[in-house]
Amino acid sequence: MTLTLPRRLLLAAPAVITLPAAAQVVRTPAQMEGPYYPRAIPADADDDLLQVAGQPRAARGQRLLLGGVVRGRDGAPMAGARVQIWQADVAGIYLHPGDARVAERDPGFQGYGATRTSEAGAYAFRTIRPGLYPGRTPHIHMRITSSDGRLELTTQAYFPDSPGNDRDFLLRSLSAADRALLMVALTPVDDGARGRFDIVLG
């Protein structure tokens, strides 16, 4: 399955929404928001970060279909949860005026996206693997809010094959078990990679 399939098919795919039978329900570790949450939400803020409305060219970089399931501490899927992501482009530049290189960022990359989980608790984004931001290992920022607004989690998703993980100060501050919970499970596909990142709120 490639990243070009319609989102309605991606959300229905068992690889995105099926849970391991013996999965342990452990709360996803929280991490700092960081300085680059968008100061203003862009006009194009959907779940497809590869194409910005009005831009003739798609985003540069290795494509990534990032998806998973949001669950509560009881293991039940959480329908209607809001999932936001924000990240650097292929050159490691954020969509934020505080980034010193913002004028050089890829205009074809959305930089921020938001979606709601399905009835099965599933979410999916079309994005890229982020470039290297100075001083950090590649990561994607995430904020998840339950449909009633009572539960919220801010965290960061990482890539297990990134050589800078052992030097990243935020990752090093976590236990090995918590670091494992923040790793995206990657599967190569024809035009990039597919990544699974399940989330537990509560």
Side-chain angles (χ1 to χ4, degrees), residues 68-86:
V69 174
V70 177
R71 294 176 285 158
R73 287 296 295 272
D74 60 357
M78 300 184 72
R82 187 172 188 235
V83 183
Q84 304 174 69
I85 67 171
W86 63 101

Side-chain angles (χ1 to χ4, degrees), residues 60 69 99 149 163:
R60 299 192 300 267
V69 174
D99 191 314

Side-chain angles (χ1 to χ4, degrees), residues 9-193:
L9 295 181
L10 294 172
L11 291 180
V16 174
I17 65 174
T18 300
L19 297 178
Q24 293 185 339
V25 182
V26 180
R27 188 179 189 274
T28 301
Q31 290 223 292
M32 62 184 293
E33 178 181 289
Y36 295 133
Y37 181 83
R39 190 168 292 175
I41 301 301
D44 191 351
D46 61 8
D47 55 8
D48 186 353
L49 283 69
L50 298 179
Q51 188 68 58
V52 177
Q55 288 290 334
R57 183 180 49 76
R60 299 192 300 267
Q62 181 187 5
R63 294 187 172 198
L64 173 70
L65 172 63
L66 178 66
V69 174
V70 177
R71 294 176 285 158
R73 287 296 295 272
D74 60 357
M78 300 184 72
R82 187 172 188 235
V83 183
Q84 304 174 69
I85 67 171
W86 63 101
Q87 64 173 91
D89 68 7
V90 68
I93 305 171
Y94 280 89
L95 176 62
H96 192 282
D99 191 314
R101 298 183 295 157
V102 68
E104 304 169 27
R105 68 176 301 275
D106 179 6
F109 180 60
Q110 196 166 287
Y112 169 91
T115 190
R116 293 273 180 181
T117 56
S118 70
E119 288 298 317
Y123 74 92
F125 290 96
R126 296 177 74 236
T127 185
I128 63 167
R129 286 191 59 157
L132 188 60
Y133 177 78
R136 293 295 316 277
T137 194
H139 59 283
I140 295 177
H141 296 267
M142 305 187 74
R143 180 181 293 165
I144 306 93
T145 309
S146 61
S147 60
D148 59 10
R150 294 182 181 180
L151 297 175
E152 185 171 88
L153 170 71
T154 298
T155 192
Q156 298 180 31
Y158 299 87
F159 302 92
D161 57 354
S162 296
N165 287 348
D166 290 340
R167 299 187 300 274
D168 189 272
F169 70 99
L170 278 179
L171 269 181
R172 289 175 60 188
S173 70
L174 299 175
S175 68
D178 281 351
R179 286 197 297 271
L181 291 173
L182 296 184
M183 293 294 160
V184 177
L186 293 170
T187 303
V189 293
D190 291 344
D191 53 354

